[in-house]
Amino acid sequence: MTLFSNSVLPAAIAQPNYDRARLKPRIVHIGFGAFFRAHQAVYAEQLANDHTSDWGYCVISMHNGRQKIADLQQQDLRYTVAEMNNASWHGQVIGVVRQALHLQVDGLEAVLEAMAQPEVAIVSLTISEKGYCYQPASGQLLSEHPDIQHDAVNPQQPRSAPGLILAALRLRRARGLPPFTVMSCDNMPANGQITRNVLTQLAQRQDNEQAVWIAQHVAFPSTMVDRIVPAVTLDTLRYIEDLLGGAVDPLGIACEPFRQWVIEDNFPQGRPVWEKVGAGLVSDVLPYEEMKLRMLNGSHSFLAYLGYLAGYAHISDCMQDEHFVKAAHHLMLAEQAPTLHVCGVDLAQYADSLLARYRNTALKHRTWQIAMDGTQKLPQRLLDSIRWHLTHDSNFDCLALGIAGWMRYVGAQDEQGQTIEICDPLRERLADAVNNSREGPERVLALLQLDTVFGHDLPDNPRFVRAVTDAYQTLLVQGAKASVAGLSLG
Ligand code: CS2
């Protein structure tokens, strides 16, 4: 076994061809997870390789991922990305990270100092939906979140990501430095607006003057990000070890070849020329975000809940079942596409390309992984479209079955009676709703009481309640496979 940091890698592995010392950590990225490593960092790598860019990253992890930051430091801040298709792969070493910090290990002062460097122009985020401490149904700050309650009265000792960013902005302001631009790269509609909401609303509770300053001076561009990057498994790491000729990279990551990034062009402090490496810089990202969230993520969630219940461990396994393929296609084109406003995109082609991506058997994208955090995902993926159908009096059977699938899933027992491990920030509330209701329509009504997910309009809408209850009953009686096969997709 050779360590990645001192080994000679096979010639087929692309390596940084630029002087890494040239790169400055002009972007601070919070959330050194799989998605960042295989998405934003890859764009920066291509810019440095092909366009002499000097935009490097300082990466910060706040709570989890201690070992990852330690590994990164150990291997000279480099790691491998393997783009994998059914039968082919392309391996690349990423060198754009110039500094790596962990809040718990390096301490708040070091983290704030990195964020307050004059050269920092952007702070970007992949902290997942729940990291924003917001209410998915309304897009506003979740004031009762324990970390927000803490940060509201302890602005100097932040626990939440919004609190940390506010502390860094406060420090820059005190030093007479311009603010940085805050760029969310998480899967939420108008993610820039949500980030602005949570930051300004938390700032109002800390110090209203700072809230006014933020509203006047800080830009929050929205982005649509896309690349399928499953959680790393031991198998992936072994595969990457083979690619690397036996060198071990604990940070190696596998992803699909496809990537897309649409960015609102609003960076008063400057930005990399992302458009040179395929990103779309536009004035309004929302139509693209909605398209991706509803057609890709919406069908992903549908396949995740129903697929898991049907016994399919991976998205590519769902694609072996022609009824699941047809249902996903129908969901995308008949139930999601009509709700969209995007121009100049052939949605039928987009749907076909998504199904082709889902068929990538090299990825092993677990349905269980996508099923996580449903309370944070359902509103933008399925429920907004349902609202559209309720207004237009049109059919939404697949969407309703998707919601019913989630309800059955959070019941925490699969169709064979085995326990399902539920991962969700509202896990306890879900368990309360499940344990205090009888299986059947009563369970549906209990789960609909989660107002940060469903708001008040949906539980009050008889057509919605009936559609979800009927789908739930069908699932109970027939099981997931037969319920999907029995959808009438006319
Ligand atoms: C997935 C996404 O885990 C999930 O919820 O739907 O991570 C999806 O793979 C990415 O958004 C694709 O860009």
Side-chain angles (χ1 to χ4, degrees):
M1 172 179 110
T2 344
L3 285 180
F4 176 66
S5 49
N6 1 328
S7 61
V8 178
L9 301 176
I13 303 285
Q15 303 218 41
N17 70 10
Y18 51 90
D19 173 12
R20 292 182 70 211
R22 188 186 77 216
L23 265 57
K24 299 183 186 64
R26 298 171 72 185
I27 309 182
V28 172
H29 184 80
I30 305 180
F32 182 64
F35 190 72
F36 165 78
R37 303 214 290 285
H39 188 269
Q40 295 107 83
V42 172
Y43 281 86
E45 187 68 21
Q46 198 182 340
L47 275 175
N49 273 328
D50 302 345
H51 301 280
T52 62
S53 148
D54 69 348
W55 288 84
Y57 277 96
C58 164
V59 297
I60 293 175
S61 289
M62 291 184 66
H63 305 291
N64 307 322
R66 263 178 204 234
Q67 189 56 46
K68 293 220 160 44
I69 296 290
D71 290 340
L72 186 63
Q73 285 160 344
Q74 187 84 50
Q75 48 192 47
D76 190 23
L77 304 173
R78 295 173 314 147
Y79 63 89
T80 324
V81 172
E83 292 177 6
M84 291 165 64
N85 216 335
N86 296 320
S88 64
W89 61 270
H90 165 74
Q92 181 182 17
V93 173
I94 303 294
V96 288
V97 177
R98 303 305 300 134
Q99 189 182 6
L101 296 169
H102 196 288
L103 183 62
Q104 320 287 326
V105 178
D106 298 288
L108 180 62
E109 208 177 312
V111 166
L112 290 179
E113 202 47 53
M115 296 172 82
Q117 290 306 299
E119 66 211 15
V120 172
I122 299 170
V123 168
S124 56
L125 305 163
T126 48
I127 51 176
S128 86
E129 298 88 344
K130 58 180 176 276
Y132 292 80
C133 309
Y134 84 118
Q135 308 180 37
S138 68
Q140 307 301 315
L141 181 72
L142 186 60
S143 308
E144 60 269 28
H145 191 294
D147 289 350
I148 294 299
Q149 292 196 332
H150 172 274
D151 291 0
V153 287
N154 298 287
Q156 313 295 347
Q157 291 300 320
R159 281 188 191 155
S160 68
L164 179 68
I165 298 171
L166 287 179
L169 285 169
R170 195 175 311 110
L171 184 59
R172 291 183 78 93
R173 191 175 166 217
R175 291 185 180 174
L177 291 169
F180 40 66
T181 296
V182 184
M183 173 174 66
S184 164
C185 296
D186 282 293
N187 282 319
M188 306 171 303
N191 51 10
Q193 187 57 48
I194 289 171
T195 313
R196 174 191 287 277
N197 290 349
V198 296
L199 252 75
T200 46
Q201 289 165 19
L202 177 57
Q204 277 157 8
R205 301 185 52 180
Q206 295 178 335
D207 159 9
N208 198 42
E209 208 199 317
Q210 153 117 335
V212 173
W213 183 80
I214 289 173
Q216 284 170 350
H217 299 286
V218 183
F220 294 90
S222 284
T223 64
M224 178 269 250
V225 287
D226 188 9
R227 180 165 238 188
I228 296 178
V229 190
V232 178
T233 62
L234 281 178
D235 277 351
T236 328
L237 289 182
R238 266 188 230 116
Y239 190 84
I240 291 176
E241 193 178 325
D242 279 353
L243 296 186
L244 296 177
V248 176
D249 179 1
L251 295 175
I253 191 95
C255 59
E256 63 173 343
F258 179 90
R259 63 177 146 99
Q260 190 178 13
W261 198 2
V262 186
I263 306 169
E264 179 186 336
D265 199 358
N266 178 17
F267 292 84
Q269 271 36 268
R271 61 165 175 82
V273 280
W274 285 304
E275 59 272 40
K276 289 202 172 161
V277 290
L281 273 296
V282 301
S283 58
D284 184 9
V285 183
L286 189 61
Y288 299 93
E289 288 180 284
E290 287 183 343
M291 172 186 84
K292 191 257 171 174
L293 278 166
R294 294 183 191 177
M295 290 185 60
L296 190 160
N297 299 108
S299 63
H300 248 180
S301 289
F302 174 91
L303 293 170
Y305 297 118
L306 292 149
Y308 186 97
L309 293 168
Y312 300 136
H314 305 109
I315 292 292
S316 55
D317 301 331
C318 298
M319 293 294 100
Q320 303 296 316
D321 181 328
E322 57 162 330
H323 298 298
F324 273 67
V325 176
K326 281 195 186 129
H329 189 253
H330 181 89
L331 178 93
M332 291 182 202
L333 281 183
E335 298 192 15
Q336 303 280 37
T339 71
L340 301 173
H341 306 102
V342 68
C343 296
V345 182
D346 180 334
L347 293 177
Q349 234 170 49
Y350 184 62
D352 288 343
S353 71
L354 294 179
L355 291 174
R357 290 167 63 192
Y358 295 173
R359 288 194 181 96
N360 186 347
T361 48
L363 284 182
K364 304 276 174 278
H365 200 187
R366 289 178 71 195
T367 44
W368 179 83
Q369 185 192 344
I370 301 169
M372 262 188 237
D373 293 350
T375 60
Q376 313 295 299
K377 294 175 175 173
L378 296 185
Q380 60 274 27
R381 295 182 179 204
L382 302 175
L383 296 173
D384 284 343
S385 304
I386 290 183
R387 288 192 173 88
W388 187 94
H389 287 288
L390 290 169
T391 311
H392 291 79
D393 204 16
S394 42
N395 187 297
F396 60 95
D397 287 354
C398 281
L399 292 161
L401 185 60
I403 301 296
W406 169 76
M407 291 179 163
R408 184 84 173 96
Y409 180 91
V410 298
Q413 254 194 16
D414 71 13
E415 292 179 357
Q416 281 67 47
Q418 302 294 318
T419 304
I420 306 176
E421 189 192 340
I422 306 295
C423 272
D424 195 292
L426 300 190
R427 201 178 113 110
E428 279 159 27
R429 286 192 61 195
L430 290 171
D432 277 353
V434 168
N435 296 334
N436 296 317
S437 59
R438 258 184 314 187
E439 184 57 296
E442 200 181 304
R443 173 78 41 88
V444 172
L445 291 182
L447 288 165
L448 288 180
Q449 296 314 306
L450 290 166
D451 56 355
T452 61
V453 180
F454 294 101
H456 296 288
D457 57 331
L458 291 174
D460 284 349
N461 186 305
R463 195 174 156 226
F464 172 72
V465 177
R466 196 170 49 246
V468 175
T469 311
D470 288 352
Y472 191 82
Q473 288 295 97
T474 308
L475 261 182
L476 281 183
V477 176
Q478 300 184 9
K481 262 187 208 167
S483 302
V484 171
L487 280 163
S488 61
L489 307 176

